[in-house]
Every structure is written in C-alpha cells, then in structure tokens.
C-alpha cells in the first residue's frame, strides 16, 4: 500500500482557527493522559492475536509534549494492531540524552524482542549497541536518523537533503536571492541535522549575493534557539533570513523574531509543523515549513519490523516524503491532513 495514504484523516477545510487549535490541543492532552496512565516512558500496545510478536520502537524522545515523536507513536500503534504485533514505544525524555537511549537499547536487547525500530539520537555513539542487536539476531529497522553502519535491514525516513534544498530555495526567493542568513540547527552529530544543513547550503550557496553567517545548535531546545536568535539579532541587525532545522529550533527562532518586532523584516523557513509553528505561519512570522510525515514513519517502521521478524523481504530504503507548506496553501485539504494528522480508528 502507499505510505499511509488511507490512514490519515484531516479536518474539514471550513474549520476555523479556534477549532483547529482546540482539536490539536485535545490530541496533545490525549497523548499526555495515555502517558500518565502508563505511568512510565514505555507505552505498550497489545495485539489480540495469538501469533503476537513484540517490537521495540526506541525514539529520540518519549516526551509527550514532543508532537513529532507522539505522531510517530500513533502510526506505530496503528501498524502494531493491523499486523498482529505488540509494541513497546520508548526512549529518553530528552533528545540530547544519547547515553540514555543507548541504555534503553541495551535493555531492549536483553529482552530479545522480535525486532527493534530505532531512531538514533547520534550517528556514531549509538552504532555499537545497534550492531550488538543485529549480532543477537534481532532484526533492526532505523527510522528518521541513520547509524554509522549497514546493519539495519531497512531505513525509513524523509529525504532530508532534498527537503532542505527545497526549503532553502524558498528562503532564497523570499529574500530576493541576496542578504545574510543563519542556520539554527538542532543537535550536532545527528544525521537529520547534518543532512538538513547540507541540503540547505547546497541551494543557498548557489547565489553569490547570499552570505551564510554561520551554523548554531539549539540542542533541540526552544529556549536555547530563542537565546541564539536574540544574539544574532543584536549582533547582525541586517540579517535577512533564518533556517530553523526542526520543531524546537523553529519555535525558538520564531518567538525571538516575534518578540523583537522584526517579523516584517526577517524571513523564517523551517522543518516540522507543531501547533506553535502553525500559529506563527498564520501570523506571517514563519513563511514556509518542510512538513515530514511522521505518522507514516511510525507505521512503516513497525510494519517493516514485523515483516523482517517473519523472514519476509523488506525494502532497504523507504522515503516517507515531505511537503512545503506556506500561509497560502496551508488550508488545502491535503496539507491539512499533514498539519492535523488524526488517526482513523
């Protein structure tokens, strides 16, 4: 089947802003309640089939306030139910807790699940433990971020370089292909950060009148991205544009530009689409975002893991796709499905 084409429901085009925000808020509250009921970071989805196989999905952050990973979880749960699997969804609270993710992966290997789905918090540091899983004959599927190894049976993710090239071209158009721009990236050493920086620079470096003043790292903290951006605005008052490479970086950048009253002057492009990012698009503070398909990433991750556990052939690389969304096209029916990904039950 196509990557989740018939699994995501959108809100009607006629819905007003309050309805959209309310529905997104209800989604987040529901996710938080599920986490509270679970009483721990591990969220377990049980199949009713007698032929159950347990899949561990270890992501970068199990924080219920991280919308991206919670939507990945929704897709994973849907696939577990559809393909007769039991799902253990887990990960450290913070994306910067690399050792925490390695410890969780080690614990999962000891439990000998049918397969492990991993979104590596660091390209190199997580690799030895991931390879250990394969040596223990546990099929490994990576999603979102790769490891420094060919050990995984399949890698499922956005083509980050292509998406970043597209969002870089969008920023170049917005600033008339001239001026100073900054990159506020997320976590140094992750493949997503490296690929998005590379793709963005591939595009903007083609224009001789665009100057990249530097790369800065928010550690996936909106507060740190806010601090970095305020410093950029103080030291480079003629900055023309800023690229925020993930949800948290984009939120911090947009808050700083908005609080400084420079929203009309500085153009912002970014990855991801949290509720806060959507509000800044509506206000004209963020001009464009590259929206991934995290539901599909979770769904295909578990589906592929169960196929591998059952000895079936799986694809080595699966591109989950992206869309460039702006204030002008954000209310199209297809884009609303991406911005407000409710799950068909």
């Amino acid at each position: 089947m196509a990557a989740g084409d018939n699994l995501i429901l959108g809100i009607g085009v006629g819905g007003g802003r309050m309805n959209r925000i309310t529905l997104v808020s209800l989604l987040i509250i529901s996710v938080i309640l599920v986490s509270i009921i679970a009483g721990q970071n591990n969220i377990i989805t049980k199949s009713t089939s007698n032929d159950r196989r347990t899949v561990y999905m270890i992501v970068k952050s199990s924080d219920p306030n991280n919308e991206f990973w919670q939507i990945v979880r929704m897709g994973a749960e849907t696939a577990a139910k559809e393909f007769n699997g039991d799902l253990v969804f887990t990960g450290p609270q913070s994306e910067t807790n690399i050792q925490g993710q390695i410890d969780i992966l080690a614990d999962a290997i000891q439990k000998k699940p049918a397969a492990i789905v991993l979104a590596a918090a660091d390209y190199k540091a997580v690799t030895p433990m991931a390879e250990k899983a394969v040596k223990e004959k546990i099929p490994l599927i990576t999603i979102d971020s790769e490891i420094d190894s060919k050990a995984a049976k399949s890698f499922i993710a956005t083509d980050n370089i292509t998406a970043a090239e597209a969002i870089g071209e969008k920023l170049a158009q917005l600033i008339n292909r001239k001026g100073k721009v900054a990159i506020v990236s997320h976590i140094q050493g992750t493949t997503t950060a490296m690929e998005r920086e590379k793709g963005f620079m591939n595009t903007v470096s083609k224009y001789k009148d665009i100057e990249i003043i530097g790369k800065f790292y928010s550690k996936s903290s909106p507060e740190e991205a806010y601090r970095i951006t305020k410093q950029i605005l103080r030291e480079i008052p003629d900055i023309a544009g800023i690229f925020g490479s993930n949800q948290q970086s984009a939120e911090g950048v947009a808050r700083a530009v908005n609080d400084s009253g420079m929203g009309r002057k500085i153009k912002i492009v970014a990855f991801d689409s949290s509720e806060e990012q959507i509000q800044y698009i509506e206000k004209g503070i963020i001009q464009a975002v590259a929206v991934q398909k995290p539901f599909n990433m979770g769904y295909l991750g578990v589906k592929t893991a169960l196929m591998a556990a059952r000895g079936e052939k799986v694809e080595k690389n699966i591109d989950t796709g992206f869309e460039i969304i702006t204030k002008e096209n954000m209310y199209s029916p297809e884009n609303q499905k991406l911005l407000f990904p409710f799950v068909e039950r």
Side-chain angles (χ1 to χ4, degrees), residues 79-208:
K81 291 175 182 175
E82 192 169 332
F83 297 101
N84 297 324
D86 292 338
L87 173 68
V88 179
F89 180 89
T90 185
Q93 183 76 3
S94 167
E95 291 193 6
T96 59
N97 188 359
I98 297 168
Q99 186 57 51
Q101 189 187 57
I102 294 170
D103 293 342
I104 290 169
L105 180 55
D107 182 65
I109 292 169
Q110 288 187 342
K111 291 182 169 61
K112 299 190 181 303
I116 292 176
V117 181
L118 173 68
D122 187 274
Y123 179 63
K124 290 187 176 295
V126 181
T127 297
M129 191 59 69
E131 289 181 328
K132 182 180 179 182
V134 177
K135 288 177 183 174
E136 296 288 334
K137 302 190 183 306
I138 301 171
L140 176 69
I141 307 299
T142 50
I143 61 169
D144 181 67
S145 299
E146 285 188 284
I147 55 174
D148 187 16
S149 168
K150 302 296 183 186
K153 284 188 173 293
S154 183
F155 176 55
I156 302 165
T158 307
D159 182 341
N160 283 295
I161 293 177
T162 300
E165 287 173 343
I167 205 71
E169 182 59 39
K170 189 67 182 178
L171 181 61
Q173 294 171 6
L174 288 164
I175 63 174
N176 296 318
R177 300 173 181 82
K178 61 183 178 182
K180 297 175 181 176
V181 301
I183 300 171
V184 179
S185 192
H186 44 293
I187 298 176
Q188 192 168 17
T190 61
T191 56
T192 52
M194 293 188 290
E195 291 174 354
R196 291 172 194 177
E197 292 161 14
K198 179 180 179 181
F200 181 80
M201 293 177 71
N202 282 350
T203 296
V204 297
S205 62
K206 293 188 303 185
Y207 300 105
K208 63 181 178 60

Side-chain angles (χ1 to χ4, degrees), residues 295-307:
F295 184 96
N296 295 355
M297 219 177 280
Y299 178 90
L300 291 170
V302 169
K303 176 186 176 183
T304 306
L306 287 167
M307 289 173 65

Side-chain angles (χ1 to χ4, degrees), residues 165-342:
E165 287 173 343
I167 205 71
E169 182 59 39
K170 189 67 182 178
L171 181 61
Q173 294 171 6
L174 288 164
I175 63 174
N176 296 318
R177 300 173 181 82
K178 61 183 178 182
K180 297 175 181 176
V181 301
I183 300 171
V184 179
S185 192
H186 44 293
I187 298 176
Q188 192 168 17
T190 61
T191 56
T192 52
M194 293 188 290
E195 291 174 354
R196 291 172 194 177
E197 292 161 14
K198 179 180 179 181
F200 181 80
M201 293 177 71
N202 282 350
T203 296
V204 297
S205 62
K206 293 188 303 185
Y207 300 105
K208 63 181 178 60
D209 293 328
I210 293 180
E211 177 187 357
I212 301 173
I213 63 151
K215 291 185 288 186
F216 308 88
Y217 292 94
S218 71
K219 300 178 182 176
S220 277
S221 162
E223 292 75 23
E224 180 64 9
Y226 182 92
R227 187 196 66 75
I228 290 169
T229 306
K230 293 286 276 189
Q231 184 175 351
I232 292 172
L233 299 181
R234 281 194 304 272
E235 297 181 359
I236 308 169
D238 59 341
I239 188 85
I242 302 177
F243 168 45
S245 71
N246 76 342
Q247 172 194 327
Q248 292 80 13
S249 297
E251 290 174 352
V253 169
R255 287 178 203 171
V257 170
N258 185 57
D259 290 354
S260 301
M262 300 175 75
R264 291 181 180 276
K265 177 183 175 185
I266 299 172
K267 307 302 181 185
I268 300 173
V269 297
F271 265 68
D272 300 330
S273 58
S274 69
E275 178 187 353
E276 183 172 346
Q277 286 174 274
I278 293 168
Q279 291 181 50
Y280 280 125
I281 294 171
E282 289 178 325
K283 289 180 67 174
I285 300 298
I286 294 177
Q287 276 68 44
V289 289
V291 178
Q292 303 180 80
K293 300 179 179 179
F295 184 96
N296 295 355
M297 219 177 280
Y299 178 90
L300 291 170
V302 169
K303 176 186 176 183
T304 306
L306 287 167
M307 289 173 65
R310 290 169 177 141
E312 300 175 29
K313 185 178 180 181
V314 300
E315 294 183 48
K316 188 65 178 175
N317 291 285
I318 300 175
D319 180 5
T320 50
F322 72 94
E323 296 292 337
I324 299 296
I325 292 181
T326 66
K327 186 175 182 178
E328 290 71 31
N329 69 14
M330 66 187 294
Y331 298 124
S332 73
E334 288 305 313
N335 286 343
Q336 286 212 347
K337 292 176 185 177
L338 295 173
L339 294 175
F340 309 103
F342 288 85

Side-chain angles (χ1 to χ4, degrees), residues 3-79:
D5 284 345
N6 62 343
L7 295 168
I8 305 175
L9 295 178
I11 301 171
V13 178
R17 176 183 171 184
M18 288 303 296
N19 285 338
R20 291 190 296 275
I21 294 174
T22 300
L23 285 168
V24 171
S25 299
L26 287 172
L27 169 64
I28 296 170
I29 290 169
S30 299
V31 168
I32 292 171
L33 286 174
V34 168
S35 299
I36 291 172
I37 292 168
Q40 54 184 359
N41 286 337
N42 293 0
I43 300 173
I44 302 174
T45 302
K46 288 285 187 182
S47 165
T48 55
S49 168
N50 290 328
D51 183 27
R52 294 200 302 257
R53 294 174 187 251
T54 299
V55 173
Y56 268 67
M57 176 172 279
I58 303 169
V59 297
K60 296 178 184 176
S61 170
S62 60
D63 183 349
N65 294 311
N66 189 316
E67 294 178 34
F68 182 88
W69 293 115
Q70 291 305 320
I71 296 171
V72 169
R73 181 181 68 78
M74 293 162 62
E77 288 180 339
T78 299

